Amino acid sequence: MTSVPMPIPSRTQFVLEEIKRRILTGRLTPGQALVETDLAAQFGVSKTPVREALKTLAGTGLVVMSQYKGVTVRMVDADMAREVHDVRLLLEPEALRRTVRRGASLDAARDALTRSDEATDTAERSLTNREFHRALYLPCGNPLLGRMLDEVRDQAALVSAVAWAADPSWEREASEHREILRLALAGDADGAARALQAHIMSFLRRAFPGAEPGAEEGLEAQDIPEAPAAPAAQKEDGQA
């Protein structure tokens, strides 16, 4: 008999989502200790929901549990960024290509892009950025492919949060998002996939120079195109 996954208790889910939000919006920074008693007091719950939430977050790669250091927010370096974006480059453009070819609705992507343009803080931009990318790959017609990309999207958002703290590049990336969506809405599956690939790689090159996936295997730089340049008014400002 196939077992049915047990739902996460509401308190644990609340704590989980709140800790995740704080990590992905930079309120909790890489390397910061996450102490069960402190978090329990902040959320007005016992340590049990906190402990379960931290275990789940460790499984998604957002936190690290150590026998000696306790629980900390995962550190972000070039190697971690390369691993995460290597998976994205392999899977996400193909998922978008399939989304466009099957004529799936892109209303959710359009809505996320609009809300991103209207965002007034980093937290909202970070969350709408994740929603935009997910809205492109989730309707691809292959639930397993969607779940595989879901597995890395929190880690990708953590990489972005760290990169944006050092060099905000929302305007440039928002411009790239608009071009990806334009091509997708026009039914240009291959063009949208290429633009998305270039967008992911462009972000990685800016944020973590030398961390391009494929370098170890001899992938030539010309094999992956640069993202389209942002309009002149936005170039100085420099969302993956």
Side-chain angles (χ1 to χ4, degrees), residues 21 38 54 69 78 80 112 131 156 174 180 191 195 212 217 223 233:
R21 181 182 177 88
D38 292 345
L54 293 176
K69 295 182 179 181
M80 184 263 201
E131 292 172 14
I180 293 166
E212 293 91 343
E217 292 77 25
D223 292 336

Side-chain angles (χ1 to χ4, degrees), residues 23-41:
I23 292 173
L24 298 183
T25 57
R27 288 183 60 188
L28 293 171
T29 57
Q32 184 170 342
L34 301 175
V35 183
E36 288 183 10
T37 52
D38 292 345
L39 292 170

Side-chain angles (χ1 to χ4, degrees), residues 178-206:
R178 284 189 284 271
E179 176 63 9
I180 293 166
L181 185 59
R182 183 190 71 79
L183 291 166
L185 289 172
D188 186 351
D190 291 335
R194 285 193 298 268
L196 176 57
Q197 182 186 51
H199 166 65
I200 296 170
M201 183 58 80
S202 176
F203 165 79
L204 194 59
R205 283 174 174 152
R206 291 194 306 271

Side-chain angles (χ1 to χ4, degrees), residues 126-185:
S126 175
L127 295 174
T128 55
N129 178 63
R130 294 170 69 240
E131 292 172 14
F132 174 78
H133 279 273
R134 190 169 193 258
L136 296 180
Y137 68 70
L138 200 62
C140 69
N142 185 329
L144 178 58
L145 180 54
R147 289 195 297 272
M148 291 173 70
L149 283 164
D150 274 351
E151 286 290 317
V152 299
R153 78 182 186 123
D154 285 345
Q155 295 178 58
L158 177 58
V159 172
S160 295
V162 170
W164 290 343
D167 180 23
S169 56
W170 309 301
E171 293 299 331
R172 173 169 180 166
E173 291 161 28
S175 176
E176 294 170 5
H177 283 177
R178 284 189 284 271
E179 176 63 9
I180 293 166
L181 185 59
R182 183 190 71 79
L183 291 166
L185 289 172

